[in-house]
Amino acid sequence: MPGRNRKTSQMRKLCRILDRVNFYAGQMAALSDAELMAMTGRFRGKLRNGTALDELLPEAFAAMREAARRVLGKYPYDVQVLGGIVLHQGKIAEMKTGEGKTLVATMPLYLNALAGKSCILVTTNSYLAARDGEEMEPLYRFMGLTEKVGVSPEEGKQFTNAQKKEIYAADIVYTT
């Protein structure tokens, strides 16, 4: 059963990363709002000094998890953190309706936006892009990031070039 051993090994690796995220949870909870918000600048500084995104993941996910608790009143469960790790690794995480995909995506979006390149979340329809972008925007703003929705609220209306430039200059973009 080589496939099963590989899956078990992958799960062990994911759980080790989750353990590191959980290790930072207490530290993040002890920070004031201002100190938690300042973590974004600290993380960006670490990236400029050569720290890899994967090395930063546990601490950045823990910061975003704590910010979600404070701003949205939602604290991602361990299984949701695992989903975020999988997404960051470029893999697919299957989740059913109501299991928190919107919240899961905030952690890898935040981490990857720290690198200074716009991160784009693509969803299946305009309604979901607008809803999720609007719901998560206060969280990103709290952590010092900009977020825009790249779909027009008016059916069939197109953005101007200036509007598109503004949208895609944001740290995080929700679109279809």
Side-chain angles (χ1 to χ4, degrees):
M1 289 195 206
R4 182 179 174 157
N5 289 337
R6 194 171 127 232
K7 286 180 185 178
T8 303
S9 172
Q10 289 173 345
M11 192 61 190
R12 270 195 294 264
K13 288 177 186 176
L14 291 172
C15 287
R16 280 195 293 272
I17 298 169
L18 173 63
D19 288 344
R20 291 178 53 215
V21 173
N22 287 332
F23 170 80
Y24 286 108
Q27 293 175 33
M28 295 302 163
L31 298 175
S32 68
D33 284 357
E35 291 169 327
L36 184 58
M37 289 185 245
M39 293 303 293
T40 298
R42 186 169 165 260
F43 294 145
R44 284 183 165 157
K46 284 183 169 189
L47 288 170
R48 280 191 299 275
N49 290 328
T51 301
L53 281 177
D54 288 346
E55 292 175 55
L56 202 57
L57 184 151
E59 196 174 4
F61 272 39
M64 196 60 164
R65 199 179 195 191
E66 178 61 25
R69 185 185 63 75
R70 294 181 191 189
V71 175
L72 304 173
K74 299 176 180 181
Y75 190 79
Y77 294 106
D78 284 355
V79 69
Q80 292 171 311
V81 174
L82 287 169
I85 295 166
V86 168
L87 289 176
H88 170 69
Q89 293 175 344
K91 299 173 186 164
I92 295 172
E94 182 179 356
M95 296 176 72
K96 295 177 183 172
T97 300
E99 289 186 334
K101 291 180 288 292
T102 302
L103 189 58
V104 167
T106 63
M107 293 172 282
L109 283 169
Y110 173 73
L111 175 64
N112 286 276
L114 292 171
K117 298 177 185 171
S118 188
C119 291
I120 301 172
L121 182 137
V122 179
T123 190
T124 57
N125 62 55
S126 298
Y127 166 77
L128 288 175
R131 182 200 70 184
D132 294 354
E134 184 179 312
E135 183 182 353
M136 295 299 122
E137 193 273 338
L139 176 58
Y140 299 122
R141 187 172 7 98
F142 179 86
M143 292 304 286
L145 298 180
T146 57
E147 182 260 351
K148 296 284 184 183
V149 174
V151 294
S152 176
E154 298 175 38
E155 184 82 26
K157 185 178 181 222
Q158 299 294 313
F159 289 115
T160 65
N161 284 342
Q163 289 171 317
K164 287 178 186 177
K165 283 183 181 184
E166 181 183 339
I167 290 166
Y168 290 101
D171 294 310
I172 297 168
V173 178
Y174 280 74
T175 193
T176 55

